[in-house]
Amino acid sequence: MNRFRTSKFKNTSARVSKKENWIGDIRAGSAVSYGNLIKSSYHRIAFSTDCTGILGILPLQTTDGKAVSHLHCHADVVTDFDFSPFDDFLLATCSADETVKLWRLPKLGEDMTSSADIVLGPEGCHVETLKFHPACDGVLASANGKTAKIWNLIQKKTFAVMENHGDQIQSVAWKQDGSLLGTSCKDKNLRIFDPRTGPSATQLETDLKALLSRKKRKLKALNQHEEAVTVPAEIRSTEKSSASL
């Protein structure tokens, strides 16, 4: 018997909105990474551009691609970024330049910031992915190489380091209540950690090797039953694209 339950949403598909709601003339990037290429809060959209180390920032309520502001955030490729669930204008970024940075995005009518509020690192190798804690403000998970870290952003230091991965970490995801952290890795294993009990994984999923070997997978979520949700992490190359709301 298959131990993984079939999702009731497996045959659903996104519905394309009307063309008047599209944001056109967006020059999106094609950086090779496992992280996000586009992310939204309730007020801002951030997306990868075709310029190294620069993100495009747009107001959520706009259909004008010319309204793009550019955030010069890193000296190398931006590998991932995430908005805080507690602050729609707080954006975390990580990069191949081995750093994690936090940015306070401006409100309408204000100039784009040129300096980060917080800089973490350098980490010794490029930082691949990051994720804000869903239930505790000021906590962030990041992954670089074979190591996952949980940061206290107020104190600007780590309070948990999880190093026992067999290969490069590709993605991280929190359980909905923030009690557990899951990681997916190039060794085709999913690991679940309880950062409060120590650096070792409390659960190691090795039965997913057949699934994970087909293509790159990204761990998206751990639900209340500690079940993992993964999706293909395919890298798409686009020179000119439109975002649809």
Side-chain angles (χ1 to χ4, degrees):
M1 184 178 71
N2 190 349
R3 60 179 294 195
F4 300 104
R5 293 182 297 180
T6 301
S7 170
K8 63 181 179 180
F9 300 107
K10 70 172 185 176
N11 294 320
T12 62
S13 59
R15 180 180 299 174
V16 179
S17 64
K18 296 180 180 179
K19 193 170 183 178
E20 55 265 28
N21 294 325
W22 295 5
I23 305 173
D25 298 322
I26 298 297
R27 297 196 62 84
S30 56
V32 178
S33 75
Y34 300 108
N36 291 298
L37 296 180
I38 186 169
K39 192 79 176 183
S40 175
S41 69
Y42 284 106
H43 291 90
R44 292 291 182 269
I45 302 171
F47 62 92
S48 297
T49 69
D50 53 3
C51 298
T52 300
I54 299 177
L55 293 179
I57 307 294
L58 272 169
L60 184 61
Q61 303 299 331
T62 184
T63 57
D64 183 7
K66 296 180 180 180
V68 175
S69 298
H70 292 96
L71 178 63
H72 297 253
C73 45
H74 288 278
D76 208 331
V77 174
V78 180
T79 51
D80 199 9
F81 45 94
D82 190 30
F83 281 100
S84 168
F86 299 94
D87 188 339
D88 290 336
F89 295 92
L90 185 61
L91 178 70
T93 64
C94 61
S95 169
D97 69 5
E98 305 180 4
T99 63
V100 174
K101 296 183 180 182
L102 269 76
W103 305 86
R104 171 69 54 187
L105 298 182
K107 297 183 179 181
L108 289 177
E110 298 177 349
D111 294 333
M112 180 58 66
T113 183
S114 59
S115 59
D117 285 16
I118 297 175
V119 179
L120 306 173
E123 291 297 285
C125 63
H126 73 271
V127 185
E128 189 63 49
T129 185
L130 52 75
K131 189 73 174 178
F132 274 106
H133 195 284
C136 183
D137 195 7
V139 177
L140 179 78
S142 69
N144 56 288
K146 300 178 182 180
T147 302
K149 295 183 178 181
I150 300 177
W151 296 89
N152 182 324
L153 298 178
I154 298 175
Q155 298 180 359
K156 301 180 184 179
K157 65 180 184 180
T158 59
F159 59 76
V161 179
M162 293 143 284
E163 298 178 319
N164 54 341
H165 291 80
D167 208 328
Q168 180 184 4
I169 301 172
Q170 296 174 309
S171 60
V172 297
W174 290 99
K175 189 180 177 182
Q176 292 172 351
D177 63 3
S179 61
L180 300 175
L181 179 71
T183 65
S184 67
C185 184
K186 289 183 73 174
D187 66 3
K188 301 180 179 65
N189 289 322
L190 299 179
R191 294 171 174 83
I192 298 176
F193 298 86
D194 185 344
R196 300 163 296 181
T197 61
S200 299
T202 59
Q203 186 175 347
L204 176 64
E205 296 288 354
T206 59
D207 295 340
L208 299 181
K209 286 193 174 183
L211 170 65
L212 296 174
S213 63
R214 297 175 190 170
K215 57 181 72 178
K216 299 172 185 175
R217 307 291 295 188
K218 183 173 182 180
L219 181 62
K220 293 297 292 183
L222 295 173
N223 65 19
Q224 63 269 28
H225 304 295
E226 301 181 19
E227 298 167 330
V229 180
T230 66
V231 298
E234 299 175 350
I235 305 302
R236 295 183 294 273
S237 177
T238 56
E239 293 184 356
K240 192 173 183 180
S241 60
S242 297
S244 176
L245 300 180

